[in-house]
Amino acid sequence: MRTSHIFRPLPVQRGLAAFALLLAPAAASPALAQTGAQGQADAIVLRPLSFFRVNDLDFGSIIASGSAGTVRLAPDGTRTRTGGATLVGNDGEPARFAGLGTPNRQVNISLGSNSIWITGPGQRMRVRDFEIGSTPTAILSTAPTRFVIASALGNYNFPVGATLEVGANQAPGDYAGTFTITLNYL
């Protein structure tokens, strides 16, 4: 004799089994995964910025008269006059500074003051409206005043001009004063 067994779950048991199969993935504990990312640290070490005066601002020889005047010395060395100031010879030259820094870096230029007084045997004279010039090694931009060190070696130079106010009947003699220029990497 043979017997066979057929298992037929009851409808309620079948429903509970299906429900248990649906809940099994949700009830399983999540696998802990580790993720990581890497960042990068960078630094740029710059050559120290240096500069020095090559020559002083020299308005050249001037003859004063009974009326006031001005002498403007442009960064390119051009001298012009107004009023009672007469230019003598071609001996004026702008101040010139040179230095060394990191190629392609921007450098901010600031003047201690845009107006100074020079003194001598007569009334002091005002020097105003300093103007920094651009060169192939120091390509200048304005607002604010800065330049890019354009030389592959990092050397640069730049001229500085200004305007001198000559008084009426200014006493003959040598007049001198100082101005300050500060450079900073940006």
Side-chain angles (χ1 to χ4, degrees):
M1 161 167 184
R2 264 168 124 172
T3 56
S4 68
H5 296 283
I6 298 175
F7 176 70
R8 292 187 184 178
L10 298 173
V12 171
Q13 288 175 335
R14 265 190 259 157
L16 285 175
F19 183 69
L21 286 174
L22 288 173
L23 285 179
S29 63
L32 298 176
Q34 273 189 329
T35 61
Q38 291 183 339
Q40 186 172 331
D42 291 318
I44 297 173
V45 178
L46 299 176
R47 177 182 294 157
L49 187 61
S50 66
F51 78 110
F52 57 93
R53 180 186 72 234
V54 175
N55 58 271
D56 291 323
L57 179 60
D58 181 358
F59 288 96
S61 299
I62 304 160
I63 297 174
S65 71
S67 59
T70 65
V71 175
R72 179 179 179 266
L73 181 60
D76 68 1
T78 305
R79 283 194 318 161
T80 56
R81 66 167 199 82
T82 65
T86 300
L87 304 176
V88 178
N90 293 317
D91 57 345
E93 64 180 325
R96 184 161 301 277
F97 296 88
L100 188 64
T102 300
N104 299 316
R105 296 302 297 191
Q106 287 192 2
V107 177
N108 190 45
I109 304 173
S110 60
L111 287 160
S113 174
N114 204 24
S115 176
I116 65 164
W117 294 95
I118 59 176
T119 58
Q123 292 287 356
R124 65 186 185 164
M125 293 187 285
R126 188 169 87 144
V127 178
R128 60 176 167 80
D129 302 332
F130 286 88
E131 184 179 357
I132 299 165
S134 190
T135 66
T137 61
I139 300 170
L140 190 70
S141 67
T142 56
T145 303
R146 62 178 59 148
F147 66 87
V148 173
I149 300 173
S151 164
L153 298 175
N155 59 314
Y156 62 89
N157 69 76
F158 59 91
V160 178
T163 299
L164 172 67
E165 295 177 353
V166 180
N169 300 312
Q170 189 73 45
D174 289 333
Y175 292 79
T178 60
F179 64 95
T180 302
I181 291 185
T182 303
L183 302 182
N184 289 302
Y185 280 126
L186 294 181

